[in-house]
Amino acid sequence: MSGTMKLGAVVLTMGNRPEELRALLDSVAKQDGDPVEVVVVGNGSPLPTLPEGVRTIELPENVGIPAGRNVGIEAFGPGGSDVDVLLFLDDDGLLPGTDTAELCRQAFAADPKLGIISFRIADPETGVTQRRHVPRLRASDPLRSSRVTTFLGGANAVRTTVFQQVGGLPDDFFYAHEETDLAWRALDAGWMIDYRSDMVLHHPTTAPSRHAVYHRMVARNRVWLARRNLPALLVPVYLGVWLLLTLARRPSKTALRAWFGGFREGWRTPCGPRHPMKWRTVWRLTRLGRPPVI
């Protein structure tokens, strides 16, 4: 059955890493099995010359990461329906192995309830996987695969039926936590998420705070995430825990000011449609090792 699964890939780029983008596309082209159809979305920037067969979309402005990836999804038909699985890959990443696509086909064919796979991100120079790139609380062993409750936005594979059932990424998030929003909706619909250490994306080690909007977006979207998805009783618990964790990390005054600005913005602005998860989903998340209060 895995051989009949059709794979596509969505790559979002700002057009500022043409050499890395070309290397990524070459690594996708080298995957074993049937060719992976690729769509590259230029997020508010013109695209460089790309390999023959790669489809391109140039957006007139930067619409943010989730909205840009949603454009890529729809390029494969409504909810990505022209393919069975979509890979989402950072434009400065690289697939070092040629078997990643085939491993995806096998995993999804073997488990009909598997909706999302999160790849392992490793630094190409050191081979190290940052703790924050292991999407679970017990992250000390990045080589251990497991069921998880969220996934990494630029290194994953999603069964397109998930998009057709629960919708795409939340456009208005722009950056940060859009993956967890989709993950919670998918889990609430009965899908499972796997972290697979054998599916690797090489990506240079970076700090998320390199993005100028990081602290504000993280705080605002954390509030939106809770307001959209959690039962009312858990919203203040979840946000209270994250407030304490943020203070415990002792960010700079500038970062803390931006964080509190985003936190207030999250309460004062529309968060999008609210669909609180079922209590049985709360229990599933808890059994998977990450109750939705942290």
Side-chain angles (χ1 to χ4, degrees):
M1 288 181 60
S2 65
T4 66
M5 274 199 175
K6 188 173 181 180
L7 268 59
V10 174
V11 180
L12 188 66
T13 183
M14 297 287 290
N16 56 350
R17 293 189 280 241
E19 293 182 5
E20 293 90 339
L21 174 60
R22 184 63 182 248
L24 169 67
L25 297 177
D26 288 346
S27 74
V28 174
K30 292 175 182 176
Q31 292 299 300
D32 300 333
D34 293 337
V36 179
E37 184 178 350
V38 180
V39 168
V40 176
V41 179
N43 205 359
S45 64
L47 293 171
T49 301
L50 298 176
E52 184 177 352
V54 173
R55 296 163 57 192
T56 61
I57 300 172
E58 292 186 356
L59 302 179
E61 61 181 348
N62 181 357
V63 297
I65 293 173
R69 286 182 175 145
N70 283 339
V71 169
I73 294 168
E74 294 303 308
F76 289 94
S81 55
D82 292 346
V83 294
D84 300 297
V85 173
L86 279 175
L87 311 182
F88 295 86
L89 306 170
D90 274 351
D91 65 343
D92 56 345
L94 182 86
L95 295 174
T98 62
D99 61 347
T100 303
E102 188 58 27
L103 288 172
C104 283
R105 292 187 183 98
Q106 293 170 5
F108 284 113
D111 186 353
K113 296 308 295 180
L114 179 61
I116 302 171
I117 297 174
S118 189
F119 300 167
R120 180 168 65 89
I121 294 179
D123 184 271
E125 300 293 332
T126 65
V128 171
T129 295
Q130 291 180 275
R131 188 180 182 91
R132 68 184 182 89
H133 284 152
V134 182
R136 58 179 180 242
L137 291 180
R138 296 177 179 176
S140 59
D141 182 7
L143 297 182
R144 178 173 66 87
S145 299
S146 69
R147 295 282 199 198
V148 290
T149 62
T150 188
F151 63 99
L152 306 173
N156 68 80
V158 182
R159 194 189 296 266
T160 54
T161 311
V162 173
F163 297 126
Q164 295 152 33
Q165 184 174 358
V166 307
L169 297 157
D171 284 353
D172 291 340
F173 277 41
F174 196 85
Y175 164 79
H177 301 319
E178 66 271 9
E179 303 93 353
T180 299
D181 186 90
L182 176 61
W184 282 1
R185 285 182 281 128
L187 289 163
D188 198 47
W191 296 100
M192 302 301 294
I193 305 171
D194 278 357
Y195 166 73
R196 287 283 298 264
S197 64
D198 57 336
M199 300 183 192
V200 180
L201 181 84
H202 275 174
H203 189 282
T205 298
T206 56
S209 53
R210 72 191 188 279
H211 299 290
V213 298
Y214 173 77
H215 297 287
R216 181 175 69 87
M217 292 294 186
V218 161
R220 184 198 68 180
N221 292 358
R222 184 81 68 184
V223 178
W224 281 358
L225 178 69
R227 290 174 58 197
R228 285 163 58 94
N229 294 289
L230 291 181
L233 287 174
L234 293 184
V235 172
V237 180
Y238 177 81
L239 295 176
V241 167
W242 278 104
L243 172 60
L244 293 174
L245 284 173
T246 300
L247 294 174
R249 291 168 178 168
R250 303 180 69 179
S252 68
K253 289 183 179 179
T254 301
L256 195 59
R257 190 179 304 114
W259 193 93
F260 274 110
F263 192 80
R264 288 191 295 270
E265 184 182 350
W267 285 108
R268 293 172 178 173
T269 54
C271 65
R274 173 168 165 76
H275 298 291
M277 66 178 64
K278 308 172 190 72
W279 281 103
R280 69 168 176 262
T281 304
V282 172
W283 177 234
R284 281 184 67 204
L285 288 163
T286 302
R287 287 189 292 115
L288 287 169
R290 190 153 197 164
V293 293
I294 188 170

